[in-house]
Amino acid sequence: MTFDEIIQSEHLQRAQTQMTFPASWCQGRTAFGGLSAAIAVQSMKHQLTEPRRLLSVSVNFVGPLLEGAPFTVATTILRSGKNATQMQTQLIQSGEVCLIAIGCFGKDRASAIQVTNVDSPTLSDVNPKAVLPYQEGVMPAFFQHVALNAQQGALPFTGAPSSNLGGWMRFKAQTTSVNELHTLALADSWPPTLLQMCKAPSPASSMSWYIEFLCDISLNSDSWLGFEAVTHHSQNGYGIEDAKIWSQDGKLLALSRQTVAVFD
């Protein structure tokens, strides 16, 4: 199944529903976190009673979400006011909470305060011929669905001195316009920035993730998204990494921060 087929499932129109995670979207036996987060946010979007754009999402990856076994998507509206709505979604499997997401949605309001972003990406133009090839059994299964044109940093487990990472990303089978759900999932498709510093294969796990969307996202289906991540701090097995996500024309779309555990 493609990303769009999973996200557009009728199951997610209900506040509480059951799904199973396909093996082709996993990392080992565990679900790809970007898709898990997107499922949670799509469930939230279906509970909105009026148009409100996604402002931010906070995700905690509490435990493994296993492929093939049913899990419950349960969404609760925490508060819906005049301008903002906040919701919580839990993904629950075998009685255990696997993921908790809190989403904030808001109406655009008239304001005299405007601060324009002056940063710009440092990436070169997209090179579709330099997409990382999928290697079954070597790379996570979900990687067969994404195209990454890496331009900054190094490959995982190469003992590199660098801890930044960057390049362009998109889904290989993109049939609808690129929106915030595609952006959310794709942002998690890159390996943690710290894995390139490891000298041998080492497991890593995202523990918490916070992402803010600066605007509505609606791009052509063949659009690439730019990704630039830096490591701010790593000690005692935990690292903090920040990322900026760009459109191809250099517009800043989203800001991301993750806490990652590395077992090197």
Side-chain angles (χ1 to χ4, degrees):
M1 298 178 70
T2 68
F3 177 84
D4 288 337
E5 288 171 339
I6 295 171
I7 289 299
Q8 292 168 9
S9 168
E10 293 182 0
H11 292 286
L12 291 175
Q13 295 179 17
R14 301 191 291 271
Q16 182 159 325
T17 189
Q18 275 204 335
M19 300 179 67
T20 56
F21 216 95
S24 69
W25 282 96
C26 287
Q27 303 167 272
R29 290 193 62 216
T30 305
F32 165 44
L35 179 54
S36 301
I39 286 172
V41 174
Q42 179 72 320
S43 176
M44 296 179 196
K45 291 183 68 175
H46 280 303
Q47 308 315 311
L48 291 171
T49 57
E50 59 180 314
R52 297 187 173 189
R53 76 173 182 89
L54 180 62
L55 300 176
S56 66
V57 184
S58 176
V59 181
N60 275 64
F61 298 99
V62 181
L65 182 63
L66 304 180
E67 60 94 0
F71 64 92
T72 298
V73 183
T75 295
T76 303
I77 298 176
L78 302 176
R79 184 179 188 277
S80 188
K82 181 179 179 180
N83 294 302
T85 299
Q86 301 203 49
M87 301 190 205
Q88 175 182 279
T89 298
Q90 295 186 356
L91 304 189
I92 304 166
Q93 190 176 64
S94 300
E96 300 288 337
V97 175
C98 302
L99 178 148
I100 297 176
I102 294 179
C104 181
F105 300 79
K107 283 183 178 180
D108 287 344
R109 297 180 294 119
S111 174
I113 299 173
Q114 293 192 27
V115 179
T116 303
N117 170 66
V118 296
D119 294 338
S120 58
T122 61
L123 300 169
S124 302
D125 291 341
V126 180
N127 182 359
K129 296 181 179 179
V131 169
L132 295 174
Y134 173 62
Q135 301 178 53
E136 187 174 358
V138 177
M139 296 178 171
F142 81 85
F143 203 80
Q144 64 190 284
H145 299 288
V146 299
L148 301 183
N149 172 211
Q151 296 186 355
Q152 299 173 359
L155 293 173
F157 318 128
T158 55
S162 58
S163 63
N164 67 307
L165 195 63
W168 297 96
M169 55 189 181
R170 59 163 296 179
F171 285 115
K172 292 178 179 176
Q174 182 72 45
T175 56
T176 61
S177 61
V178 176
N179 60 31
E180 71 278 5
L181 293 177
H182 301 95
T183 306
L184 176 67
L186 285 167
D188 196 46
S189 64
W190 296 83
T193 54
L194 295 173
L195 285 188
Q196 62 191 292
M197 304 183 76
C198 298
K199 296 180 179 179
S202 305
S205 176
S206 295
M207 301 188 67
S208 62
W209 183 20
Y210 183 66
I211 183 166
E212 297 171 305
F213 295 90
L214 280 62
C215 58
D216 275 322
I217 301 175
S218 182
L219 304 172
N220 292 335
S221 61
D222 59 352
S223 297
W224 292 78
L225 298 174
F227 179 87
E228 290 182 297
V230 297
T231 304
H232 283 297
H233 179 267
S234 180
Q235 193 172 11
N236 301 323
Y238 300 97
I240 307 296
E241 61 179 63
D242 279 2
K244 295 179 179 179
I245 302 166
W246 309 90
S247 64
Q248 277 186 267
D249 60 3
K251 182 178 181 180
L252 184 61
L253 302 176
L255 299 169
S256 168
R257 169 167 285 194
Q258 287 199 57
T259 300
V260 179
V262 180
F263 306 90
D264 62 330

